[in-house]
């Protein structure tokens, strides 16, 4: 869906396809018919944005086979779908039985990460709608924090220089600009906007910036207005917003809260958990560790990296950080000019909820309707063209 900001900017809203399990082109195309088109129909929209996750084997096929790329483009058009952004954070295997820290591999010290990201950017230039001149690709925040040696940091910085050069060459060749956004995430080399400024400042803002995930921001107990100001002052553009909510337990010692949290402690994804204490933020890498006593439960609230559906609350007494997402949206879009024009609803955890939905397209459509409502409240107008 497209929206017009009062400053004239077109803001694109869609959802991320990493919620669907498909790591070959046949599967990606099938999910467009099984999920994305029904979501569009539920919304009553003529056009729906979908932020594609294309695993390494899919990107290789699309980059090497023009006929395969044309087939995907034709399927998008036929189903009223458009793609302006790719999620290139997971490399492959995102729906394995256990993912956990493997999602951060290969990292930016590995040549494979650079090649994959540039291939994603090249594919995206071909997938962009004819009337759209730029796209975005989101990626991991360099690496998981350990092991991360000075040699790794040097390799990553060299890779980012080559990424900038490659993106510039791609624009010269295609006439379309692709920007890459590094996504701060708890537990990584870059987990906060403060660390983003430290690690990423000085990069070419025309090519590289930040993908801001509202769930991650909330888990780290960052204040949205302060975080956005920090990025702006450092010259780090928000090239993409992942509209997402964390789960919060206000009183984690409450037996009912602990019981509900135990039902979220599933084995596939990593659920980093944080609590504020004495002006700091205490951290554990996964929710089961917090529940086993590695995080104090008698202090402040816990926030859990579990992407909760935007439009509904989890099992009481848990709640989501939807209010913080509202603040992020207002900070990026509520001013005189749009601070970001690519918004992607990214709730990839539907299948690991305590009660997975029987109607996934209906759930995704409800999330997008929630986001659409927020954008219109901020003064954006849906573009029917």
């Amino acid at each position: 869906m497209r929206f017009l900001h009062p400053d004239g900017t077109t803001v694109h809203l869609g959802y991320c396809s990493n919620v669907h399990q498909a790591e070959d082109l046949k599967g990606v195309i099938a999910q467009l018919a099984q999920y994305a088109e029904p979501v569009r129909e539920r919304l009553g929209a003529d056009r729906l944005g979908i932020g594609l996750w294309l695993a390494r084997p899919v990107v290789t096929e699309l980059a090497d086979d023009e006929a395969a790329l044309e087939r995907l483009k034709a399927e998008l058009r036929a189903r009223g779908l458009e793609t302006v952004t790719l999620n290139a954070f997971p490399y492959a295997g995102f729906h394995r039985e256990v993912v956990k820290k493997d999602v951060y591999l290969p990292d930016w010290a590995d040549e494979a990460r650079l090649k994959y990201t540039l291939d994603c950017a090249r594919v995206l230039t071909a997938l962009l709608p004819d009337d759209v001149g730029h796209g975005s690709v989101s990626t991991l925040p360099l690496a998981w924090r350990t092991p991360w040696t000075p040699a790794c940091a040097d390799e990553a910085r060299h890779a980012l220089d080559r990424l900038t050069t490659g993106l510039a060459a791609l624009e010269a060749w295609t006439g379309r600009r692709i920007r890459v956004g590094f996504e701060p995430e708890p537990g990584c080399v870059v987990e906060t906007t403060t660390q983003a400024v430290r690690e990423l400042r000085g990069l070419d803002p025309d090519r590289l910036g930040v993908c801001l995930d509202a769930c991650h921001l909330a888990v780290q107990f960052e204040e949205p207005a302060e975080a956005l100001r920090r990025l702006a002052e450092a010259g780090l553009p928000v090239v993409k917003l992942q509209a997402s909510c964390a789960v919060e337990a206000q009183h984690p010692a409450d037996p009912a809260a602990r019981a509900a949290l135990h039902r979220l402690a599933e084995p596939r994804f990593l659920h980093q958990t944080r609590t504020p204490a004495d002006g700091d933020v205490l951290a554990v890498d996964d929710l089961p560790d917090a529940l086993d006593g590695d995080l104090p439960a008698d202090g402040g609230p816990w926030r859990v990296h579990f992407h909760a559906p935007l439009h509904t609350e989890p099992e009481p007494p848990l709640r989501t950080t939807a209010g913080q997402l509202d603040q992020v949206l207002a900070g990026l879009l509520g001013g005189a000019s749009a601070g970001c024009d690519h918004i992607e609803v990214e709730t990839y955890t539907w299948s690991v909820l305590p009660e997975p939905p029987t109607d996934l397209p209906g759930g995704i459509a409800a999330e997008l309707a929630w986001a659409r409502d927020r954008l219109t409240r901020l003064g954006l107008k849906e573009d029917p063209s």
Side-chain angles (χ1 to χ4, degrees):
M1 291 182 285
R2 299 187 188 187
F3 295 80
L4 295 177
H5 189 275
D7 73 351
T9 299
T10 298
V11 175
H12 297 265
L13 171 66
Y15 85 94
C16 184
S17 74
N18 65 356
V19 64
H20 307 310
Q21 183 173 354
E23 299 203 18
D24 57 33
L25 183 58
K26 180 180 178 180
V28 170
I29 289 175
Q31 70 189 211
L32 301 181
Q34 185 176 358
Y35 300 111
E37 187 175 17
V39 169
R40 179 184 63 76
E41 292 171 345
R42 298 284 185 92
L43 288 164
D46 292 333
R47 173 175 50 196
L48 175 67
I50 181 166
L52 291 175
W53 171 58
L54 303 173
R56 172 78 266 189
V58 184
V59 170
T60 299
E61 181 176 358
L62 293 172
D64 293 346
D65 185 345
E66 187 173 347
L69 188 56
E70 288 299 322
R71 181 183 172 201
L72 178 57
K73 290 170 62 177
E75 288 286 340
L76 288 166
R77 285 194 302 266
R79 302 191 184 283
L81 307 172
E82 65 178 15
T83 294
V84 300
T85 187
L86 298 184
N87 186 333
F89 194 131
Y91 187 84
F94 192 57
H95 289 272
R96 292 199 308 260
E97 187 173 338
V98 178
V99 179
K100 298 294 183 180
K101 294 178 184 177
D102 287 350
V103 75
Y104 307 110
L105 298 174
D107 61 35
W108 275 97
D110 188 326
E111 178 81 7
R113 176 59 66 173
L114 172 65
K115 291 181 177 178
Y116 172 60
T117 307
L118 283 173
D119 281 348
C120 284
R122 183 154 61 95
V123 167
L124 182 57
T125 61
L127 293 179
L128 287 174
D130 293 341
D131 60 344
V132 174
H134 70 277
S136 62
V137 174
S138 51
T139 186
L140 71 157
L142 300 183
W144 185 252
R145 69 183 185 279
T146 56
W148 189 251
T149 65
C152 291
D154 288 344
E155 288 290 338
R157 178 58 67 163
H158 181 53
L160 299 194
D161 290 341
R162 294 167 62 198
L163 175 63
T164 303
T165 300
L167 293 173
L170 187 62
E171 182 178 2
W173 177 40
T174 66
R176 291 175 154 188
R177 174 170 296 181
I178 305 298
R179 295 193 294 175
V180 173
F182 296 84
E183 181 183 331
E185 177 164 323
C188 292
V189 173
V190 176
E191 65 176 357
T192 65
T193 55
T194 297
Q195 292 171 331
V197 169
R198 184 186 70 204
E199 299 290 338
L200 304 175
R201 189 175 214 156
L203 300 177
D204 180 357
D206 291 333
R207 316 280 175 204
L208 307 181
V210 168
C211 170
L212 194 63
D213 187 302
C215 170
H216 302 172
L217 196 74
V219 169
Q220 289 295 146
F221 288 89
E222 292 202 67
E223 291 298 327
E226 182 181 343
L228 293 173
R229 176 190 55 75
R230 182 180 297 119
L231 294 174
E233 290 179 352
L236 280 174
V238 179
V239 303
K240 175 177 176 178
L241 170 67
Q242 285 179 330
S244 56
C245 294
V247 170
E248 180 178 273
Q250 285 188 288
H251 306 288
D254 174 11
R258 296 187 75 78
L261 287 169
H262 271 287
R263 283 187 278 276
L264 294 179
E266 55 80 32
R268 178 177 298 164
F269 299 118
L270 200 63
H271 299 297
Q272 302 93 314
T273 306
R274 304 288 188 264
T275 188
D278 299 325
D280 199 0
V281 177
L282 303 181
V284 297
D285 286 342
D286 208 354
L287 178 57
D289 301 325
L291 291 166
D292 285 344
D294 291 355
L295 202 66
D298 55 358
W302 285 5
R303 288 183 180 171
V304 183
H305 177 214
F306 194 114
H307 285 220
L310 305 187
H311 65 292
T312 187
E313 291 293 331
E315 179 183 352
L318 304 182
R319 65 182 191 180
T320 75
T321 56
Q324 187 152 6
L325 173 55
D326 278 332
Q327 294 177 47
V328 174
L329 289 168
L332 285 172
L333 299 170
S337 60
C340 175
D341 60 357
H342 291 172
I343 301 173
E344 179 180 78
V345 172
E346 196 214 12
T347 306
Y348 59 84
T349 48
W350 285 98
S351 65
V352 295
L353 288 171
E355 296 183 7
T358 57
D359 177 17
L360 181 57
I364 295 171
E367 287 195 288
L368 286 164
W370 185 98
R372 176 173 59 186
D373 177 65
R374 263 51 181 188
L375 297 189
T376 56
R377 289 186 197 179
L378 292 170
L380 282 71
K381 295 184 179 180
E382 194 166 356
D383 182 0
S385 62

